[in-house]
């Protein structure tokens, strides 16, 4: 089967633009890759040789990492295993993504217009079938919070940068600090392609109580003038008893740790009073409907987490219109679908490391509102680009992040978030036409004063108040914020 190459230019809302080589065709076989899904519609990036070995990250001892013993297999039908191990779960060959809708609640009410089957965990798994339209409530009866230990991350490096890791280790040891190395991220295969976002974490190796970590982090910043990050390590999963109630409030059954509510027909799950935009002026509650199934589990604080287990393409249907105007040009919508797909896949295993889900439905990961937000135009864009993502020239999936406004010039990823510099995520001018002779941020005053031909300024959806703005802070306010 022949292959066609298709590339997109920058769309409204893209933060970084990278070269792309998007192929469609029959994927080659991929040997020895864990969690390999075989959805023929999900084809991404440059082809791998059929007999090519898995990318070599070196042995654990190469980087001074202690090898860990093999873990025991998960309990049968445990929906939390993949979430806590930060791996994609493949259903019918397609990746299913657990996305947090809300957490920190004591109960949630939901229904579906079709038949519903609920699986309740315990020594003996229980099944409860519900008639169409029945209203169900799940609440926490008792729970034990997770045991989570915060750790101070001194540096983050690409997995192939062993020389850089050793240099960082020596540098911190010369400052009198003991370090240890761990890895984060995941390695998995889809349709004969390898997705590898693993990286090294250089951590401070000191015995610190949880209430001592923040003060120690601040001390390191003051002494050495470097950016550090707090990362969460899950020592023990939370546990608890959940109770299933019918529409009259009568108790139907109890479950240990989790309940899965799965429609038996192609009907959405309707969740009442979903909390959204936490921490923003638009914060509120509303009823929303979602494709896929619902996972109710104990969250890290011993309360209830409401998680949507949804296929990747269905996730994009509710995500793309939340991140771009559905009235945008069809090619812009396609570009947004491609970048959103790549960003979701690139984030697997790097966020919410101590939570029973991989991503959240807020701006921290990507805004996702379920069927409530879907439109025919954005659904068409998702369908038209099914299985397409951005890949760098060396065959790596690009973490194709995006923003609403970049002010005329994007920024390097390491400046925004820290971590290792990504060659695909270098700051670029956001101009319509050539940049020759135009001022750049190197001459900041001229750059800010010029009326540049920026897409941020000239787009139909541009908002001048967000393209250029100013806010002043006193030194005390800056200290409070940082």
């Amino acid at each position: 089967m022949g292959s066609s190459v298709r590339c997109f230019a920058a769309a409204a809302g893209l933060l970084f633009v990278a070269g792309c080589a998007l192929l469609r065709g029959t994927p080659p076989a991929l040997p020895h890759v864990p969690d390999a899904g075989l959805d023929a519609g999900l084809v991404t990036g440059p082809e791998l040789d059929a007999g090519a070995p898995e990318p070599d990250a070196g042995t654990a001892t190469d980087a001074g990492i202690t090898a860990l013993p093999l873990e025991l297999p998960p309990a049968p039908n445990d929906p939390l295993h993949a979430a806590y191990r930060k791996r994609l779960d493949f259903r019918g060959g397609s990746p299913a993504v657990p996305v947090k809708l809300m957490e920190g609640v004591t109960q949630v009410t939901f229904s579906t217009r079709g038949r519903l089957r609920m699986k309740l965990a315990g020594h003996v798994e229980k099944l409860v079938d519900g008639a169409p339209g029945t209203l169900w409530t799940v609440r926490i009866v008792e729970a034990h919070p997770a045991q989570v230990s915060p750790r101070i991350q001194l540096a983050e490096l690409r997995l192939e940068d062993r020389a850089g890791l050793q240099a960082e280790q020596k540098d911190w040891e010369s400052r009198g600090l003991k370090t240890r190395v761990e890895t984060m991220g995941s390695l998995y295969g889809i349709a004969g392609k390898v997705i590898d976002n693993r990286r090294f974490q250089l951590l401070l190796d000191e015995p610190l109580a949880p209430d001592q970590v923040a003060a120690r982090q601040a001390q390191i910043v003051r002494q050495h003038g470097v950016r550090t990050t707090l990362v969460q390590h899950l020592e023990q999963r939370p546990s608890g008893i959940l109770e299933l109630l019918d529409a009259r409030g009568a108790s139907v059954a109890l479950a240990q740790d989790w309940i899965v509510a799965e429609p038996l027909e192609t009907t959405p799950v309707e969740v009442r009073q979903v909390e959204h935009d936490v921490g923003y002026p638009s914060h509120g509650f509303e009823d929303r409907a979602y494709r896929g199934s619902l996972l109710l589990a104990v969250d890290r604080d011993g309360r209830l987490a409401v998680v949507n287990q949804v296929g990747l393409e269905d996730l994009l249907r509710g995500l793309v219109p939340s991140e771009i105007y559905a009235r945008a040009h069809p090619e812009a919508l396609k570009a947004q679908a491609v970048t959103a797909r790549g960003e979701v896949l690139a984030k697997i295993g790097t966020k919410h490391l101590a939570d029973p889900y991989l991503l959240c439905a807020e701006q921290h990961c990507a805004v996702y509102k379920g069927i409530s937000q879907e439109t025919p135009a954005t659904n068409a864009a998702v369908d038209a680009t099914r299985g397409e993502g951005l890949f760098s020239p060396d065959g790596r999936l690009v973490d194709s992040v995006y923003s609403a406004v970049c002010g005329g010039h994007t920024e390097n990823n390491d400046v925004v978030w820290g971590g290792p510099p990504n060659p695909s995520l270098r700051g670029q001018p956001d101009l319509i036409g050539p940049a020759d002779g135009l001022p750049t941020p190197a001459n900041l005053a001229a750059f800010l004063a010029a009326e540049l031909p920026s897409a941020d300024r000239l787009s139909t959806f541009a908002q001048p108040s967000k393209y250029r703005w100013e806010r002043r802070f006193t030194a005390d306010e800056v200290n409070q914020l940082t």
Side-chain angles (χ1 to χ4, degrees), residues 410-458:
T410 65
E411 183 56 279
N412 296 339
N413 71 293
D414 44 305
V415 175
V416 181
W417 297 291
N422 188 325
S424 297
L425 305 184
R426 302 293 84 195
Q428 300 287 340
D430 176 36
L431 301 177
I432 301 173
D436 298 342
L438 296 176
T440 70
N443 185 349
L444 188 58
F447 175 77
L448 295 176
E451 293 190 0
L452 300 172
S454 169
D456 276 352
R457 187 173 71 88
L458 300 178

Side-chain angles (χ1 to χ4, degrees), residues 159-400:
L159 203 68
E160 62 270 22
D161 188 10
R162 298 190 194 90
L165 175 64
Q166 292 173 356
E168 284 280 356
Q169 287 177 298
K170 290 180 180 178
D171 181 40
W172 284 105
E173 288 172 2
S174 69
R175 304 182 194 193
L177 297 182
K178 187 178 179 182
T179 64
R180 71 174 184 272
V181 179
E182 293 186 3
T183 60
M184 69 179 297
S186 58
L187 169 71
Y188 55 94
I190 300 180
K193 311 300 178 196
V194 172
I195 309 296
D196 187 359
N197 64 359
R198 295 173 299 168
R199 62 199 71 169
F200 287 126
Q201 291 177 295
L202 186 63
L203 304 174
L204 179 68
D205 190 12
E206 291 181 1
L208 296 171
D211 58 356
Q212 298 175 321
V213 173
R216 182 64 173 127
Q217 182 188 27
Q219 183 183 36
I220 292 173
V221 172
R222 286 194 302 268
Q223 287 181 341
H224 304 289
V226 296
R227 178 190 298 191
T228 62
T229 306
L230 281 183
V231 295
Q232 302 293 330
H233 178 76
L234 182 66
E235 304 285 353
Q236 182 174 320
R237 282 166 45 167
S239 63
I241 303 298
L242 308 182
E243 184 177 25
L244 176 66
L245 309 172
D246 64 17
R248 298 171 300 171
S251 179
V252 175
L254 298 177
Q256 176 70 49
D257 298 342
W258 58 265
I259 296 175
V260 170
E262 189 167 10
L264 296 178
E265 301 159 8
T266 56
T267 54
V269 179
E270 300 172 5
V271 184
R272 301 290 179 89
Q273 293 298 287
V274 177
E275 186 176 16
H276 60 86
D277 296 316
V278 178
Y280 291 88
S282 54
H283 173 249
F285 298 82
E286 67 180 16
D287 297 348
R288 290 180 175 176
Y290 300 92
R291 300 175 186 269
S293 60
L294 210 60
L295 168 65
L296 299 313
V298 184
D299 69 20
R300 69 159 74 183
D301 295 322
R303 297 171 79 85
L304 188 64
V306 183
V307 180
N308 183 203
Q309 296 178 309
V310 59
L312 174 61
E313 299 301 311
D314 285 338
L315 170 62
L316 294 175
R317 291 171 181 268
L319 190 158
V320 171
S322 301
E323 298 283 7
I324 190 173
Y325 291 105
R327 306 188 310 275
H329 192 283
E331 292 304 313
L333 297 180
K334 291 177 184 178
Q336 182 67 38
V338 171
T339 57
R341 183 180 293 108
E343 191 191 19
V344 167
L345 292 173
K347 293 291 188 292
I348 301 301
T350 67
K351 291 201 167 192
H352 297 291
L353 301 183
D355 295 312
Y357 46 83
L358 296 182
L359 301 172
C360 67
E362 300 287 341
Q363 291 189 35
H364 176 261
C365 293
V367 178
Y368 166 61
K369 300 180 182 179
I371 292 178
S372 315
Q373 191 74 4
E374 290 183 16
T375 73
T378 50
N379 281 352
V382 172
D383 292 340
T385 63
R386 179 179 174 83
E388 294 183 354
L390 288 171
F391 275 75
S392 62
D394 63 354
R396 285 186 172 274
L397 177 72
V398 175
D399 184 4
S400 45

Side-chain angles (χ1 to χ4, degrees), residues 59-221:
T59 62
T61 53
D62 286 341
I65 308 170
T66 302
L68 298 177
L70 293 175
E71 61 185 84
L72 294 175
N77 302 320
D78 180 3
L80 296 177
H81 178 72
Y84 276 117
R85 295 302 300 164
K86 304 306 165 189
R87 296 171 179 169
L88 281 177
D89 183 15
F90 289 87
R91 300 182 179 184
S94 297
V97 186
V99 181
K100 182 215 56 173
L101 306 180
M102 55 181 174
E103 63 186 353
V105 297
T106 57
Q107 67 178 41
V108 62
T109 301
F110 57 92
S111 65
T112 181
R113 298 178 185 179
R115 294 177 299 147
L116 188 69
R117 172 163 293 170
M118 283 157 288
K119 300 176 182 178
L120 293 83
H123 293 297
V124 177
E125 185 178 275
K126 308 179 188 74
L127 295 179
V128 176
D129 285 352
T134 303
L135 205 62
W136 299 94
T137 297
V138 170
R139 70 182 182 187
I140 287 279
V141 176
E142 63 176 73
H144 303 282
Q147 293 182 17
V148 179
S149 60
R151 300 177 178 182
I152 299 174
Q153 178 179 291
L154 303 172
E156 185 179 308
L157 300 96
R158 293 164 68 98
L159 203 68
E160 62 270 22
D161 188 10
R162 298 190 194 90
L165 175 64
Q166 292 173 356
E168 284 280 356
Q169 287 177 298
K170 290 180 180 178
D171 181 40
W172 284 105
E173 288 172 2
S174 69
R175 304 182 194 193
L177 297 182
K178 187 178 179 182
T179 64
R180 71 174 184 272
V181 179
E182 293 186 3
T183 60
M184 69 179 297
S186 58
L187 169 71
Y188 55 94
I190 300 180
K193 311 300 178 196
V194 172
I195 309 296
D196 187 359
N197 64 359
R198 295 173 299 168
R199 62 199 71 169
F200 287 126
Q201 291 177 295
L202 186 63
L203 304 174
L204 179 68
D205 190 12
E206 291 181 1
L208 296 171
D211 58 356
Q212 298 175 321
V213 173
R216 182 64 173 127
Q217 182 188 27
Q219 183 183 36
I220 292 173
V221 172

